[in-house]
Amino acid sequence: MKRIALFTSGGDAPGMNAHIRAVERVGEKRGVEVVGIIGGYSGMIAGHFELLDRIRTANIIDRGGTILKTSRCEDFLSVEGRVRAIEQLRSNGIEGVIACGGDGTFHGAHALWTEHGMPIVGTPGTIDNDLSGTDFTIGYDTAINTAAQAIDKIRDTADSHGRLFFIEVMGRHAGFIAMDVGIACGAEYIAVPETITDIDELYRRIVSQGRERRTVVIVGEGDELGGAMGISKAIEERYGIPSKVSILGHIQRGGSPTVRDRVLASRLGAAAVDALLGGQTDVMIGEVAGSVRMVPLEDTWTTRKPVPGYLKELSTILI
Ligand code: F6P
């Protein structure tokens, strides 16, 4: 291969810029041109391409967001959209692609390979950490640290006023963020989509804390009772306890990446270039138990990654 492309897609994640930098640098060392696709799959369909070089990727390793921009692209879901995308790739001399994103991104990448034979390698870029085949995704470490800082601050208020707080964190269908920050911030209860939230049990926990004391409950946004708002409402309706709701939202996606995210993003970027040039396709490059691993893209969405059992155990014994 003489020319490969890279794009970031889906929700942005801190560390994507470190990843872009690594792909460009390793590509250059291997004698390959690296083209950045601007705006994810939308940019691929529209032909928004830009040749990357050392200067373009300098001074970005510490920046949040993605210099390549991103999108959630409806058009790529259609066969016609993907035909337009492949025509753009081919007419720009692209021989292989690196796709950094989550499972939606990988569905699209898999289709590009199976329908059009375009070699494509995925890298896990999402704050949710919900991809099977890697212990951690790019952006997760930064997101949990950002969330933990915010929760620590809210706890000061909860403590001072003796209030009950429901704090909602991101993680569309997965409770990784909620579990980790809940434990790290000493939450009295952690509600995640993977388990049924029992309002009566939650009430007992709140009461056991003493109503005059601060109580912080961390809620994963995908919790089946409707996130933090839903649980707050349920507790008020059944037990008459008022509460405050704080939804941390997109603050968790931004900011300068942690050292862990920068290193993971760099390592997976370097490995992705070598995998693509070595003839790999339709795989995601991840890191498992400290080693770089490859799994079929399909496995990342057909196999559900469980929240580690030790986190669940800690969440019940440390309260
Ligand atoms: O996938 C990352 C994520 O931040 C999820 O945690 C969240 O559910 C979703 O993206 C929000 O997406 P958007 O910013 O497009 O609303």
Side-chain angles (χ1 to χ4, degrees):
M1 287 180 192
K2 285 283 159 233
R3 178 177 262 217
I4 62 175
L6 161 71
F7 68 102
T8 49
S9 168
D12 62 328
M16 280 181 164
N17 282 327
H19 191 63
I20 294 163
R21 174 181 179 272
V23 169
E24 188 284 320
R25 303 232 158 156
V26 175
E28 199 176 308
K29 289 219 163 59
R30 306 284 186 255
V32 181
E33 279 183 341
V34 178
V35 172
I37 300 171
I38 311 298
Y41 284 118
S42 302
M44 192 184 283
I45 291 172
H48 288 158
F49 300 147
E50 176 191 336
L51 191 60
L52 299 178
D53 61 19
R54 294 181 74 79
I55 295 168
R56 179 76 171 104
T57 57
N59 298 321
I60 62 168
I61 196 164
D62 59 332
R63 281 172 52 193
T66 160
I67 62 161
L68 294 182
K69 315 300 179 194
T70 185
S71 62
R72 298 197 190 275
C73 177
E74 292 283 318
D75 287 350
F76 202 79
L77 297 175
S78 70
V79 174
E80 299 74 37
R82 294 195 290 275
V83 167
R84 273 154 59 209
I86 197 73
E87 283 169 1
Q88 292 287 5
L89 291 172
R90 295 236 158 91
S91 64
N92 280 275
I94 309 292
E95 296 168 277
V97 180
I98 295 173
C100 180
D103 65 340
T105 304
F106 294 164
H107 272 89
H110 180 66
L112 268 188
W113 166 248
T114 53
E115 292 170 9
H116 300 288
M118 174 58 71
I120 191 155
V121 162
T123 50
T126 167
I127 65 163
D128 290 359
N129 199 32
D130 59 348
L131 293 171
S132 167
T134 190
D135 288 342
F136 298 106
T137 54
I138 297 164
Y140 177 67
D141 189 60
T142 309
I144 54 177
N145 280 287
T146 302
Q149 282 174 19
I151 294 162
D152 287 346
K153 291 185 170 89
I154 294 171
R155 186 181 277 289
D156 289 345
T157 291
D159 192 29
S160 303
H161 285 264
R163 278 177 181 165
L164 166 62
F165 263 89
F166 291 100
I167 305 176
E168 184 177 297
V169 295
M170 276 188 167
R172 199 189 303 258
H173 305 299
F176 291 93
I177 297 177
M179 270 292 175
D180 263 335
V181 301
I183 289 165
C185 298
E188 278 68 34
Y189 191 94
I190 306 169
V192 292
E194 288 85 348
T195 55
I196 301 293
T197 300
D198 180 343
I199 287 294
D200 302 318
E201 165 64 10
L202 174 54
Y203 171 73
R204 280 192 291 278
R205 295 265 186 97
I206 294 167
V207 170
S208 76
Q209 295 300 313
R211 289 285 302 281
E212 75 288 352
R213 288 179 53 194
R214 83 288 179 275
T215 299
V216 168
V217 176
I218 302 297
V219 184
E221 65 173 329
D223 185 85
E224 75 288 348
L225 290 180
M229 290 299 275
I231 297 185
S232 154
K233 211 163 153 241
I235 280 285
E236 174 131 36
E237 277 171 9
R238 192 170 307 176
Y239 292 105
I241 302 179
S243 60
K244 296 284 178 184
V245 171
S246 189
I247 297 173
L248 298 189
H250 289 81
I251 190 175
Q252 295 159 97
R253 289 235 295 259
S256 181
T258 60
V259 169
R260 271 181 181 278
D261 270 332
R262 295 181 202 188
V263 174
L264 178 68
S266 301
R267 186 182 194 192
L268 298 185
V273 174
D274 285 338
L276 198 56
L277 299 184
Q280 293 292 339
T281 183
D282 203 26
V283 291
M284 183 195 79
I285 313 291
E287 192 186 70
V288 178
S291 299
V292 171
R293 295 276 171 80
M294 273 181 259
V295 291
L297 281 179
E298 226 172 337
D299 285 9
T300 64
W301 68 82
T302 54
T303 312
R304 191 173 167 100
K305 180 174 167 185
V307 171
Y310 77 89
L311 286 180
K312 286 189 190 153
E313 200 185 324
L314 277 174
S315 73
T316 55
I317 61 176
L318 289 184
I319 51 156

